Amino acid sequence: MSEPGHGTESGAEPPGNPDRLYILTGGETRTEAKTHLDLVTLVVSRAEPDPGLQPEHAAVVRMCDFPLSVAEISAYLELPVSTLTPLLTELLSRGKVEARPPVPAAALPDVQLLEAVMHGLQKL
Amino acid sequence: MDYKSSDGYAGPRSEDILPASATAAVKVVIVGGFGVGKTTLVGSVSEIRPLTTEETMTQAGVGVDDLAGIEHKTETTVAMDFGRISINEQLVLYLFGTPGQERFWFLWNGLFEGALGAVVLLDTRRMEVSYDVIGRLEERGVPFVVAVNAFPGAPKYPMAELRTAMDLDDTVPMIDCDARDRSSCRDTLMALMRYLYSLTTVSTEPQ
Ligand SMILES: Nc1nc2c(ncn2[C@@H]2O[C@H](COP(=O)(O)OP(=O)(O)OP(=O)(O)O)[C@@H](O)[C@H]2O)c(=O)[nH]1
Ligand SMILES: [Mg+2]
């Protein structure tokens, strides 16, 4: 088994210019396990919006007093998801919000999950 | 009317707020050609007024331009309508309507990742788009049902004929659907869930 965390360090550079990616995503977040944000990841605030936050960041923190999906935040802020994602990533890394990931993707959905959804739909 | 806070950004109306107990979401994608009723279907079953999110794709120029050190980018923006159904205190279902034409398929990576499945809305006046969509879903291994909505003056074909025309597997459910009718849309979503359920139980049966 190879030493963890050093897999690609000395090997050939993988395609896609990793240095450029590194710059785009901001150096300091590189080593963190980045939370993948799906359209339906639910975002919830962990703190009150503080005066130091930029207006859009503050708006997210205020809006997510109760859980809201990434798609809903994008709709209310009228920001494309690709613009919103880095903003949310920053709030996450600063501990201002938390992310509740969607039910994990599986090759086939879980029977209990489907039963719950069917039960919910029946009430419509 | 959206709630506008002092900073000028709208947020959810008080009746559109999810309970704090909402812990996870699932999604279903409604896909079909132009004007087939995607937004109507989402609106018929959604507990919130359908919202719109935008996705952009920036493609950096590749090939000769790169060698010459010239950067050129093209940006495409697509709006997607979506709605929401609270399944219970913890679980939320989101429905995304997305255009089926091939030039919008770049949206599909993020959209279908983790999605339970899809509803293909079929307009019998323009079947080519649905044909391509079905092929693409099959390629990606996304389970789907086909909902046929009846427009006034649209040709009416027997389901078996549509199935043949669409090259559809016998196991894929086909249903009539009026996207304007809530219970019809609910039945369509139910058909998808039952189909998913059948797939699950088939695959876990002992050999
Ligand atoms: N008769 C009938 N009319 C429908 C049905 N579904 C939608 N319509 C009508 O068709 C028109 C288009 O519906 P939309 O829901 O906007 O279609 P869409 O797929 O979202 O359209 P785009 O987003 O523009 O591609 C509207 O005027 C609807 O009222 C249906 O099932 N039956
Ligand atoms: Mg629409």
Side-chain angles (χ1 to χ4, degrees):
Chain A
M1 218 169 89
S2 65
E3 216 179 315
H6 294 272
T8 56
E9 220 66 84
S10 55
E13 288 228 322
N17 198 349
D19 281 332
R20 186 140 177 282
L21 254 179
Y22 173 66
I23 294 160
L24 286 175
T25 57
E28 71 281 4
T29 57
R30 193 194 192 192
T31 47
E32 282 171 29
K34 276 267 201 77
T35 315
H36 169 73
L37 291 169
D38 191 274
L39 278 170
V40 300
T41 298
L42 297 176
V43 178
V44 196
S45 306
R46 271 189 168 166
E48 294 290 312
D50 63 70
L53 288 176
Q54 290 164 35
E56 279 173 342
H57 292 66
V60 170
V61 174
R62 185 175 307 106
M63 202 177 283
C64 295
D65 199 13
F66 286 92
L68 269 188
S69 63
V70 170
E72 280 163 298
I73 301 168
S74 144
Y76 289 126
L77 287 184
E78 296 176 17
L79 282 180
V81 176
S82 51
T83 311
L84 176 64
T85 303
L87 194 156
L88 289 175
T89 304
E90 197 193 325
L91 287 173
L92 278 166
S93 69
R94 291 169 65 184
K96 302 291 181 194
V97 299
E98 67 172 65
R100 300 179 180 174
V103 175
L108 283 169
D110 179 75
V111 171
Q112 274 164 359
L113 171 68
L114 293 173
E115 280 168 351
V117 173
M118 286 194 265
H119 190 253
L121 289 175
Q122 237 132 29
K123 293 184 298 191
L124 273 182
Chain B
M1 196 180 65
D2 286 328
Y3 158 76
K4 283 239 188 215
S5 69
S6 51
D7 56 24
Y9 292 102
R13 303 176 301 178
S14 54
E15 60 267 42
D16 291 346
I17 286 171
L18 283 172
S21 57
T23 45
V26 288
K27 59 187 168 183
V28 162
V29 182
I30 315 296
V31 55
F34 176 71
V36 70
K38 303 176 294 289
T39 305
T40 307
L41 190 156
V42 169
S44 291
V45 285
S46 177
E47 68 197 12
I48 57 171
R49 176 179 52 86
L51 295 170
T52 305
T53 177
E54 278 189 349
E55 193 65 275
T56 55
M57 180 191 60
T58 310
Q59 227 172 13
V62 284
V64 183
D65 284 354
D66 279 354
L67 294 174
I70 301 161
E71 278 264 309
H72 87 156
K73 289 178 183 174
T74 52
E75 194 158 276
T76 316
T77 305
V78 183
M80 280 189 293
D81 293 325
F82 66 100
R84 195 182 80 194
I85 301 170
S86 291
I87 295 301
N88 55 41
E89 287 293 298
Q90 288 84 38
L91 188 63
V92 192
L93 170 64
Y94 285 91
L95 299 171
F96 289 88
T98 191
Q101 293 88 329
E102 188 167 351
R103 66 178 185 279
F104 299 120
W105 289 357
F106 73 86
L107 284 173
W108 287 24
N109 288 329
L111 193 56
F112 280 97
E113 199 182 311
L116 287 177
V119 172
V120 178
L121 266 182
L122 177 66
D123 180 350
T124 54
R125 297 167 300 180
R126 282 164 296 186
M127 300 212 276
E128 319 75 45
V129 173
S130 302
Y131 186 83
D132 293 343
V133 161
I134 286 167
R136 186 80 180 128
L137 290 176
E138 284 170 347
E139 256 171 52
R140 293 187 67 113
V142 177
F144 63 91
V145 298
V146 176
V148 184
N149 53 359
F151 285 96
K156 188 94 182 80
Y157 301 103
M159 282 293 189
E161 230 170 87
L162 287 177
R163 190 181 285 282
T164 311
M166 290 285 118
D167 240 342
L168 264 189
D169 206 272
D170 279 345
T171 54
V172 175
M174 293 185 76
I175 40 261
D176 281 309
C177 172
D178 187 326
R180 298 162 302 178
D181 183 72
R182 188 185 184 91
S183 60
S184 177
C185 297
R186 179 205 51 211
D187 293 347
T188 299
L189 293 173
M190 264 314 199
L192 174 64
M193 294 309 144
R194 273 196 229 96
Y195 177 54
L196 294 171
Y197 196 93
S198 75
L199 294 176
T200 310
T201 47
V202 165
S203 68
T204 53
E205 250 169 36
Q207 303 286 311

